[in-house]
Amino acid sequence: MSKLKIAIQKSGRLSEKSLELLKECGIKLSNGDRKLKSIAKNFPIEILFLRDDDIPQYVEQGVSDIGILGENEVWEKDKNVNIVEKLGFASCKLSLAIPKDENYTGVSYFNNKKVATSYPKILKNYFDQNNINAEIEEIGGSVEIAPGIGLANAIFDIVSTGSTLLMNGLKEVELVTKSEAVMISNKNLSEKKQQILNKLLFRIRAVRNSSENKYILLNAPNSAIKQITAILPGMKSPTILPLAENGWSSLHSVVKEDEFWDIIDQLKALGAQGILVVPIEKMVL
Ligand code: ATP
Ligand code: MG
C-alpha cells in the first residue's frame, strides 16, 4: 500500500509541535527515537526527520510528499510547492531592527545601509517593493550580533518577544511580515497520496477546531434563554435541558475561547449561573 511521506524538522523549534500534532491526530509512530525515518503504525504515513531548510527542496522533488515548516523558510527557498494548510504554531514576526540609539525616519532609512539577514530573498522583495537601495549581507545565524561587531548597520530577522534584540542593543522598526508553521505538498501527488493527505488534513482541522473551541454549560432562568441563545450561537443552536428547579434550564453550547471572555459579562448580566467551560478533544464540523 502506498504511504504518504511527511518531512518534519529533526530538531529545533518545530520538531516537538510537529510530532505533537501528528499524535493529536491519533497517529502512532513505531519507533520513538528519531532516526532518519519513522513509520506510523495505524496510518499510511512515513515520517522523515530533516533540517527545516531542506524540506522545500525535498518536497519539490518528491523525495517527501508533504512537509511541515515555517512559512518564512517556504518563502525564502521559493520552491515549486503548494502551501496546503496553516498550522497555527511557531508564530513569529520577520522584522527590521537597528541600533536603539539611531533616529528612525521611516523605511527610507535603509537606503545605502548594509543589512544582515538569513532571509535575503524575502528582504530583497521587501526592499524592491519599497524602492529601497540597500546592501544585503547574508549570514547563517546569530544575525543580531552583526551591528555590534561592525558587520552591518541593521538586521532583518525573526522576532518573537524582542528580548534578543534588546540584549543586543537593537530596536524593531519595521514589521515586514508574519509567519507561522504550514504544511506544504508536492504539486504532483498521486490520487492515492492525495486521498491520504485529505484524511490527514481532515484530522488536523478537527484537532485545531477543538483547541480553539470550548464546550460551555450554564444554568439560566427560562426568561433569559432567548437572549442567551442569541449571544451563544454554538455549532447549530444551544442544547437546552430543563433543570429540576422550576423555571430554570441548563444550556450547552460551543464557544471560541477568545470570544468566551468577551461574552462572560453579558451572560452573567442575563442571570446565567454555574458557568462551566470545558475542553473539547476533537471537533468535526
Ligand atoms: P535547522 O537547524 O533545522 O535549520 P533552524 O535553526 O533553522 O533549524 P529553528 O530555530 O528551530 O530553525 O526555527 C524553526 C522555525 O521556527 C523558524 O523557521 C520559524 O518559522 C520558527 N521560529 C523561529 N524562531 C522562532 C521564535 N522565536 N518564535 C516562534 N517561532 C520561531
Ligand atoms: Mg533551519
Side-chain angles (χ1 to χ4, degrees):
M1 196 172 70
S2 71
K3 282 192 196 304
L4 186 75
K5 281 180 279 187
I6 171 168
I8 66 172
Q9 191 188 25
K10 187 175 169 64
S11 65
R13 287 175 189 273
L14 301 169
S15 326
E16 290 309 317
K17 290 271 179 144
S18 306
L19 283 172
E20 199 181 299
L21 180 65
L22 295 176
K23 200 173 148 198
E24 284 171 339
C25 290
I27 295 169
K28 294 201 169 75
L29 304 189
S30 54
N31 51 340
D33 56 337
R34 281 171 231 164
K35 294 179 182 139
L36 177 63
K37 280 195 217 178
S38 186
I39 291 174
K41 281 193 257 185
N42 54 354
F43 197 79
I45 63 170
E46 187 174 319
I47 293 118
L48 308 177
F49 297 97
L50 301 169
R51 277 202 63 192
D52 66 341
D53 310 49
D54 298 332
I55 293 177
Q57 179 183 343
Y58 284 133
V59 170
E60 180 184 61
Q61 293 172 355
V63 173
S64 187
D65 300 305
I66 61 172
I68 295 179
L69 74 165
E71 271 176 311
N72 52 308
E73 284 298 341
V74 183
W75 296 323
E76 184 60 32
K77 295 298 181 293
D78 198 20
K79 298 290 178 189
N80 193 22
V81 295
N82 290 331
I83 294 185
V84 289
E85 190 82 1
K86 294 203 180 214
L87 300 173
F89 61 88
S91 300
C92 55
K93 299 181 280 185
L94 289 161
S95 295
L96 282 156
I98 63 173
K100 68 175 191 317
D101 296 330
E102 285 283 301
N103 179 28
Y104 186 65
T105 49
V107 66
S108 62
Y109 172 92
F110 293 100
N111 272 316
N112 307 313
K113 295 283 198 304
K114 194 168 171 182
V115 186
T117 186
S118 310
Y119 301 99
K121 223 175 211 170
I122 300 174
L123 183 58
K124 182 167 188 313
N125 278 339
Y126 177 77
F127 280 155
D128 286 352
Q129 274 167 20
N130 288 280
N131 294 316
I132 302 297
N133 188 12
E135 190 183 336
I136 298 175
E137 181 75 27
E138 179 175 359
I139 51 176
S142 304
V143 172
E144 63 283 352
I145 65 167
I149 58 172
L151 181 70
N153 308 105
I155 66 162
F156 172 63
D157 203 7
I158 289 176
V159 177
S160 56
T161 59
S163 58
T164 310
L165 292 183
L166 216 64
M167 273 189 320
N168 287 281
L170 301 171
K171 60 179 176 187
E172 180 182 359
V173 291
E174 291 290 340
L175 194 170
V176 170
T177 184
K178 288 183 179 173
S179 167
E180 66 182 90
V182 289
M183 177 173 284
I184 57 169
S185 89
N186 177 272
K187 287 206 162 164
N188 300 300
L189 288 186
S190 68
E191 183 80 13
K192 274 255 167 59
K193 288 186 170 177
Q194 186 63 50
Q195 278 171 10
I196 303 172
L197 174 57
N198 291 347
K199 266 194 185 165
L200 181 62
L201 287 173
F202 177 83
R203 293 190 185 190
I204 288 174
R205 285 170 193 151
V207 167
R208 288 206 55 206
N209 280 331
S210 72
S211 65
E212 285 167 11
N213 289 283
K214 301 283 168 203
Y215 196 71
I216 181 170
L217 304 93
L218 57 87
N219 296 333
N222 289 344
S223 57
I225 286 178
K226 214 170 170 184
Q227 283 164 291
I228 291 180
T229 305
I231 55 171
L232 263 191
M235 285 196 284
K236 278 214 169 70
S237 62
T239 306
I240 301 169
L241 304 166
L243 289 186
E245 189 178 330
N246 237 342
W248 281 76
S249 295
S250 166
L251 268 75
H252 302 190
S253 189
V254 173
V255 287
K256 286 228 181 309
E257 180 157 34
D258 45 354
E259 287 170 9
F260 167 74
W261 294 109
D262 294 337
I263 59 172
I264 176 84
D265 291 329
Q266 294 178 58
L267 294 175
K268 279 167 50 185
L270 289 166
Q273 296 179 359
I275 303 173
L276 295 179
V277 177
V278 295
I280 296 173
E281 190 165 299
K282 301 282 185 306
M283 183 166 153
V284 177
L285 296 173

